Amino acid sequence: MSQGPEVLIPTSAAEAVELFGTGADTAVVGGGTILIPMLRLSDARPARALMLHHAGLAGISETGGRLTIGAMTPLNHLAAMADPIAACVAHIADLEIRGQATLGGNLCARNTDAPRGDLQGAMIALGASVRSVGAGGERTEPAEEFLANRDDRLVLDVSFELPAAGAYAYLDRAHTHEYTALAVSAVRTSDGAIRLGANGAGPHGLRLPSAEAAASDHAAAGSAALADVALFDDAIASAWYREKTLPVLVRRALDQLKEAA
Amino acid sequence: MSLNITVNGASRTVNAEPLTPLLHVLREELDVLSPKAGCQNGGCGTCTVLVDGEPRRSCLLPIAAVEGAEIRTVEGLAPPGQLSPLQEAWIHHYAAQCGFCTGGFLMAATAYLENGGSDDHTEIAKALGGHVCRCTGYVKILDAVSAAARGDSFDLTTTAAGLHTTLKGVDQ
Ligand SMILES: Cc1cc2nc3c(=O)[nH]c(=O)nc-3n(C[C@H](O)[C@H](O)[C@H](O)COP(=O)(O)OP(=O)(O)OC[C@H]3O[C@@H](n4cnc5c(N)ncnc54)[C@H](O)[C@@H]3O)c2cc1C
Ligand code: FES
Ligand code: FES
């Protein structure tokens, strides 16, 4: 790493925000489980790297039924939460990586050679808001809006209302290493609304509004979901395979949600 | 940057770029060679060490993120010339073939046992599930960790693998 980036190590959230600025040519280092190999191989060559491990952005707090999770919270701290989070986290990598990988890194992970960022679908289903800074200052917005427009943002935290029930249906693979090719998160909110999010069905986690509108008929919702996604081929599954399985996973997630108290 | 880490009980000062993976610092600066560079992408577990008691992939950990931490590797499992009970079980059960994956497996299994892990194969497989053995000796590895969890003891001079180790000396 002879010509490596200038490394910045802020010791508070305020300092991290200030150093990040507009985020130009800056790589944010969360847990580093994706970024460190990229930097080592020069697949990423940022001018600056902002390391967040001392920035005080980790932690989970609850006020009035609303949960706020800091961007640097490691995934293993989310393992005991209600579904869809718990089931989703249990299928991300293995326990060593889950101890290092962060929620912020998962929300900012990109589908390059593998469908990364499994919690994106879960956060969409939960109706989570993402608080971030960057050019134009601070923004707090629904996860699906953040994901569609997340370049050069520093994620501070994510918050959502505790759901009445949640479910996670996924394509399981034999080996823990394998990324989840496709999964659907379903949530029933405290006022009875049903929300659906998918990961592995587009360039980032996607909401499934057409399926939500048809949610009373689980099979119809499954077919409707195909209108909401941008299926792709990768080394793990073909678009054809994803097209055949997405309706099944939507149906299963809704079936599970109905069972869940 | 200059920073301190503790490796197997000894305080060490290292000079490294903050984003250098811990694996490289251990192997190239500190001559601690049990963590192996396998995939260097987080996908194999040959580089696993304990960081403040937790198993972590040293190829993914930037050195600046572990400043001040207590690192343990195979070199620290037992005093020189001795083996930990888990290592003895490994030899007795012939759980190492080429041995390239062994260091990572031993550290992950050490953490599992120190956290009170049982001899249940499914539980062990969950804890070690991110580790790959290219020689595919998984059954033997599960047997060894189970035996150590139960506290089985072995007379290594009577096992083929143990005899071999005794003849060659374990602290070469
Ligand atoms: C063997 C292996 C298996 C894996 N399996 C899975 C899997 O099944 N599912 C899955 O989803 N992922 C998987 N991953 C990928 C990865 O571990 C996770 O997605 C993890 O949550 C990424 O978080 P991180 O903190 O380590 O990210 P980092 O590597 O730190 O960062 C990832 C990206 O997000 C950016 N970033 C990080 N934090 C922030 C922030 N606060 N604000 C703005 N940008 C930020 C970085 O700049 C970078 O672009 C796997 C990785 C490995 C090595
Ligand atoms: S070398 Fe670290 S996981 Fe393979
Ligand atoms: S013993 Fe050869 S890789 Fe495991």
Side-chain angles (χ1 to χ4, degrees):
Chain A
M1 263 181 230
S2 46
Q3 285 175 311
E6 178 196 357
V7 179
L8 310 166
I9 309 180
T11 53
S12 70
E15 193 190 349
V17 170
E18 194 190 308
L19 288 173
F20 183 75
T22 60
D25 210 3
T26 301
V28 178
V29 185
T33 61
I34 294 172
L35 201 54
I36 291 301
M38 289 178 70
L39 290 168
R40 188 178 58 76
L41 296 169
S42 299
D43 283 347
R45 314 183 81 151
R48 308 190 311 158
L50 185 71
M51 295 185 75
L52 296 181
H53 58 288
H54 287 319
L57 288 170
I60 304 173
S61 60
E62 190 191 331
T63 28
R66 201 170 170 84
L67 220 56
T68 301
I69 309 176
M72 283 299 285
T73 307
L75 300 188
N76 60 351
H77 290 198
L78 310 182
M81 287 186 170
D83 286 338
I85 294 184
C88 177
V89 165
H91 287 87
I92 296 176
D94 72 339
L95 58 84
E96 295 173 21
I97 288 169
R98 291 196 291 271
Q100 181 182 342
T102 67
L103 174 61
N106 203 275
L107 281 176
C108 296
R110 289 172 194 264
N111 290 347
T112 43
D113 50 342
R116 297 193 167 94
D118 290 355
L119 279 162
Q120 295 169 11
M123 289 300 156
I124 289 171
L126 285 161
S129 312
V130 178
R131 190 164 69 96
S132 70
V133 293
E138 187 172 310
R139 280 185 351 219
T140 300
E141 62 204 320
E144 57 266 39
E145 285 173 26
F146 169 78
L147 288 167
N149 188 14
R150 62 183 162 161
D151 287 346
D152 297 336
R153 302 300 296 176
L154 170 66
V155 177
L156 300 175
D157 55 41
V158 176
S159 62
F160 53 86
E161 223 143 276
L162 288 170
Y168 188 68
Y170 51 90
L171 277 180
D172 206 3
R173 304 256 302 179
H175 203 280
T176 53
H177 285 304
E178 295 302 345
Y179 288 82
T180 305
L182 186 64
V184 173
S185 294
V187 162
R188 188 173 338 106
T189 63
S190 55
D191 54 16
I194 287 180
R195 295 179 55 99
L196 295 165
N199 48 281
H204 46 70
L206 292 174
R207 192 171 171 186
L208 305 176
S210 310
E212 287 173 8
S216 54
D217 178 338
H218 298 184
S223 315
L226 291 171
D228 299 328
V229 294
L231 300 173
F232 57 92
D233 288 322
D234 65 10
I236 294 178
S238 63
W240 179 88
Y241 186 65
R242 289 184 159 98
E243 185 189 326
K244 300 296 166 208
T245 45
L246 180 68
V248 178
L249 293 179
V250 168
R251 176 169 54 72
R252 282 188 197 157
L254 288 169
D255 289 351
Q256 279 176 37
L257 191 67
K258 202 171 171 189
E259 296 290 309
Chain B
M1 81 192 273
S2 168
L3 51 81
N4 254 294
I5 53 176
T6 302
V7 181
N8 298 321
S11 172
R12 310 289 297 259
T13 303
V14 296
N15 259 305
E17 293 295 320
L19 293 170
T20 313
L22 171 63
L23 173 66
H24 296 255
V25 173
L26 289 171
R27 290 185 59 86
E28 286 154 31
E29 308 278 326
L30 300 177
D31 218 23
V32 174
L33 299 177
S34 69
K36 302 288 182 237
C39 65
Q40 300 191 62
N41 260 315
C44 75
T46 63
C47 66
T48 292
V49 301
L50 302 191
V51 177
D52 293 329
E54 299 293 331
R56 291 287 179 267
R57 304 284 218 283
S58 64
C59 70
L60 297 180
L61 266 178
I63 187 71
V66 296
E67 179 166 13
E70 181 115 17
I71 313 294
R72 286 163 64 201
T73 67
V74 172
E75 288 83 347
L77 283 180
Q82 295 176 39
L83 297 171
S84 74
L86 175 67
Q87 287 172 298
E88 292 189 350
W90 220 267
I91 291 174
H92 179 83
H93 283 282
Y94 227 125
Q97 295 178 67
C98 78
F100 198 79
C101 69
T102 305
F105 266 106
L106 283 172
M107 297 320 292
T110 295
Y112 172 76
L113 296 172
E114 286 179 355
N115 287 325
S118 77
D119 65 351
D120 181 76
H121 279 203
T122 311
E123 287 304 309
I124 298 169
K126 239 190 251 169
L128 305 184
H131 290 251
V132 176
C133 174
R134 210 58 276 215
C135 304
T136 64
Y138 296 109
V139 173
K140 299 293 185 190
I141 289 170
L142 291 171
D143 287 346
V145 182
S146 285
R150 284 191 302 272
D152 292 1
S153 57
F154 314 102
D155 177 2
L156 289 187
T157 55
T158 64
T159 62
L163 201 57
H164 183 67
T165 310
T166 312
L167 292 174
K168 286 186 66 185
V170 291
D171 58 339
Q172 52 205 307

